[in-house]
Amino acid sequence: MDFLARFGRHFEKINAELQRSLDSSVPLIREMGEHSLLGEGKRLRPLLFMLASGLCGYQGEDVYRISTVFEYVHTASLIHDDVLDDADIRRKKPSAKHVWGNLAAVLGGDFFYSTAAAIALETGRPKLLKLINDTTLRMIEGQVLELMHTHDWNLDKERYMDIIVAKTAELMSAACASGAIMADIDEEKVDQLAQFGLNLGIAFQLMDDILDYTSSEKTFGKPVGKDLREGKITLPLIYSLADLDPKEFERLLDS
Amino acid sequence: MDFLARFGRHFEKINAELQRSLDSSVPLIREMGEHSLLGEGKRLRPLLFMLASGLCGYQGEDVYRISTVFEYVHTASLIHDDVLDDADIRRKKPSAKHVWGNLAAVLGGDFFYSTAAAIALETGRPKLLKLINDTTLRMIEGQVLELMHTHDWNLDKERYMDIIVAKTAELMSAACASGAIMADIDEEKVDQLAQFGLNLGIAFQLMDDILDYTSSEKTFGKPVGKDLREGKITLPLIYSLADLDPKEFERLLDS
């Protein structure tokens, strides 16, 4: 049974809020939003926020609206990542960059980052705002770190972990912690939910990196074998490289 | 006499704050910041904030730090604009994109937008935060509008004004209004300073667009004749096009 299907009732409401919040007088921005935000995504980050806020007893009517913050940040970072990676397929559809060009994709990502902030501002909670902004800064640092280590065949496990924590796990952590912050519960529980989200995010990215080597485009929903082609060194490769004898490793570097 | 030289004492302090606020554990981000932020800029937007807050009687010690918010937003938007325009010279130096590539420039811009928000958050003033975020959204809309009207020979004066208000004037307006917000003075004066900044920004962009046709790279500090080459339709061209007879205009469209 599909685990996520259990939360189906949340999906519709999250998607309805995403639709409602897509607000710009500029048609191209609305089109990019409809394309990039309202697709087939799993809505994992909004869902984490929903579940965490429910767990902590938050009852506000704005819960679905706030949950979209995490989808906006995630989508903005994906769109900019596509500019970087020259990726043409995202969520089984052509990427924003592919449809509108680099130019519009950069601005679309910018707009969605700021839309996330606009929705977070509505809560009037400085702690939430600060968490979301700090998380965004960390995510960008993670993307830059990853970029700096492209084709770095000596990347070790520790640095790889730094990268996936920053680029993936921190946002899931923030989604969980934000649920606790909205419920005004004590700092210790906020930290515990942050820790849970962080570990979930690490596990998620590990799986994503493994599936890039072991899955197929049909089941994975995006091209496989991409990381190696793009010189993105991930854990499966780090382990494989460690098994090479020095001569084999040299041959690889020369190739 | 150089008008801006009268405010020389502010420059050093603004630059010192920019230096201090460049805070990332990732070396490439610091390098991009040093390159893009700490150059020869006029610091016009921080200065507008300084003068407006002084005018309204704000005495806080954080005034220079807050002023950098407007330079961060401005720099982030320039860096992303360079990605778009394929511009290789900015402020008499090679652009960030030219030095590090599209990839890093997109992330660098992202980081500086979020740094602006982080500094604004320190003030604990929701009104200021909202103004800055709304302004960022409008600036991005302005950039998208401009992009949509590239090579649009039928662009009229009204639409051109929409574009320059959004992409340039709104940030100068926000810098002025923010000075008043920090001083906690009445709404009417906030609006008046916002209006002053808006008109100054419009005048500034009009001049910038005229100088692209009439100045030289040496005095202008960036390449001239760029707008026409890139299909960016600005006021001087709109007026010139209006003077063409229908046959000449058709010949232009065919060329």
Side-chain angles (χ1 to χ4, degrees), chain A residues 24 80 103 110 114 118 133 141, chain B residues 24 80 84 110 114 118 133 141:
Chain A
S24 170
H80 282 183
L103 309 80
D110 288 350
S114 288
N133 199 61
E141 287 187 330
Chain B
S24 169
H80 282 183
L84 314 186
D110 289 349
S114 288
N133 199 62
E141 287 186 330

Side-chain angles (χ1 to χ4, degrees), chain A:
Chain A
M1 181 210 160
D2 184 349
F3 176 72
L4 285 175
R6 292 177 54 185
F7 307 109
R9 69 199 162 88
H10 290 311
F11 288 141
E12 279 171 42
K13 290 186 182 166
I14 292 166
N15 284 336
E17 275 302 331
L18 284 170
Q19 177 101 53
R20 210 185 327 256
S21 57
L22 254 187
D23 179 28
S24 170
S25 60
V26 178
L28 183 58
I29 289 177
R30 283 200 310 276
E31 280 170 41
M32 281 195 284
E34 280 162 20
H35 178 93
S36 305
L37 267 178
L38 305 180
E40 285 189 31
K42 295 182 292 297
R43 311 287 178 243
L44 188 54
R45 292 151 194 86
L47 195 57
L48 286 173
F49 170 79
M50 293 298 309
L51 297 177
S53 61
L55 182 70
C56 299
Y58 180 67
Q59 309 266 355
E61 280 181 12
D62 54 357
V63 70
Y64 287 104
R65 181 154 175 89
I66 305 167
S67 81
T68 64
V69 167
F70 305 97
E71 193 71 10
Y72 271 103
V73 171
H74 173 58
T75 301
S77 112
L78 284 187
I79 292 176
H80 282 183
D81 207 51
D82 282 336
V83 173
L84 314 186
D85 289 353
D86 210 35
D88 286 333
I89 291 193
R90 174 70 66 188
R91 285 177 180 169
K92 303 188 186 177
K93 297 196 299 185
S95 68
K97 190 221 78 181
H98 188 70
V99 177
W100 290 281
N102 255 341
L103 309 80
V106 172
L107 298 175
D110 288 350
F111 194 85
F112 300 141
Y113 272 128
S114 288
T115 303
I119 297 170
L121 267 162
E122 292 170 8
T123 66
R125 298 193 186 231
K127 204 173 153 186
L128 188 81
L129 285 167
K130 185 163 162 43
L131 176 61
I132 289 163
N133 199 61
D134 287 348
T135 302
T136 306
L137 283 165
R138 288 280 294 143
M139 285 173 68
I140 299 161
E141 287 187 330
Q143 288 174 286
V144 173
L145 263 186
E146 183 171 71
L147 174 63
M148 287 167 62
H149 289 286
T150 308
H151 298 292
D152 173 6
W153 302 96
N154 293 309
L155 182 74
D156 61 22
K157 224 167 58 175
E158 286 64 37
R159 203 74 220 232
Y160 163 79
M161 287 298 289
D162 289 345
I163 292 170
I164 70 168
V165 164
K167 78 164 190 170
T168 303
E170 296 270 5
L171 183 58
M172 295 200 186
S173 173
C176 293
S178 296
I181 290 172
M182 288 309 294
D184 279 323
I185 61 171
D186 57 87
E187 201 59 41
E188 198 193 331
K189 289 197 178 110
V190 176
D191 289 345
Q192 284 167 351
L193 272 164
Q195 200 56 44
F196 165 77
L198 197 77
N199 288 321
L200 183 74
I202 293 169
F204 179 89
Q205 190 60 54
L206 288 174
M207 278 308 296
D208 201 65
D209 289 346
I210 292 168
L211 288 170
D212 184 66
Y213 281 96
T214 61
S215 187
S216 68
E217 179 160 347
K218 198 169 166 228
T219 52
F220 199 31
K222 50 188 180 184
V224 294
K226 207 169 137 279
D227 291 344
L228 188 58
R229 271 200 309 280
E230 293 174 358
K232 204 181 272 184
I233 317 296
T234 60
L235 201 58
L237 187 63
I238 292 172
Y239 277 126
S240 305
L241 290 175
D243 277 346
L244 296 181
D245 66 41
K247 272 192 183 161
E248 287 173 316
F249 190 69
E250 245 173 67
R251 236 173 59 210
L252 179 81
L253 291 185
D254 289 341
S255 70

